[in-house]
Amino acid sequence: MLFKLVIWLLSLRIGKLMRSDRDFRYAVREKNLMLQFALQNGEAVRYLDFDKGVYRTASGWHEAARQGNAVSYKGKRVATFSFASAWTGLALLIRGSKDSGVMLAAMREKTLVVKGDFTLFIWFGWLADQL
């Protein structure tokens, strides 16, 4: 539950930046991508959808993420971040915001699996720095 709350707060923060920060809006104006957060047991948590300056978020699965390992879906770049458990996801998001090596170590240990466009993993690191 706490993991869902943190992802929800993250999505609220992005929404606020989209409304109030001109530099942030400018940085994501041409982005056409979707980030899906899920657990490895198949439970979807939330997705963040950037569509050329329009930001949407909702809980559950995005139709693009349902395609599995798809790197793109109707021209949209797609990445799914699957965490081993909610507690693991929470710890990785908190520790990973200060040290990017934590996320890479989690990928080696398979507690974090990135499916789809791996370059969005790097872009998510930039996004986390903005928040």
Side-chain angles (χ1 to χ4, degrees), residues 2-17:
L2 190 56
F3 179 60
K4 288 182 179 183
L5 176 67
V6 167
I7 297 292
W8 178 71
L9 290 172
L10 176 97
S11 68
L12 284 180
R13 177 71 177 141
I14 293 169
K16 183 177 180 189
L17 286 173

Side-chain angles (χ1 to χ4, degrees), residues 68-72 77-80 114-120:
N69 270 347
V71 174
S72 72
R77 293 168 49 206
V78 176
T80 302
V114 178
K115 294 180 183 174
D117 190 343
F118 187 77
T119 60
L120 295 182

Side-chain angles (χ1 to χ4, degrees), residues 103-122:
M103 298 291 258
L104 294 172
M107 290 176 66
R108 279 192 301 275
E109 297 165 1
K110 302 286 188 220
T111 55
L112 169 62
V113 177
V114 178
K115 294 180 183 174
D117 190 343
F118 187 77
T119 60
L120 295 182
F121 173 74
I122 297 166

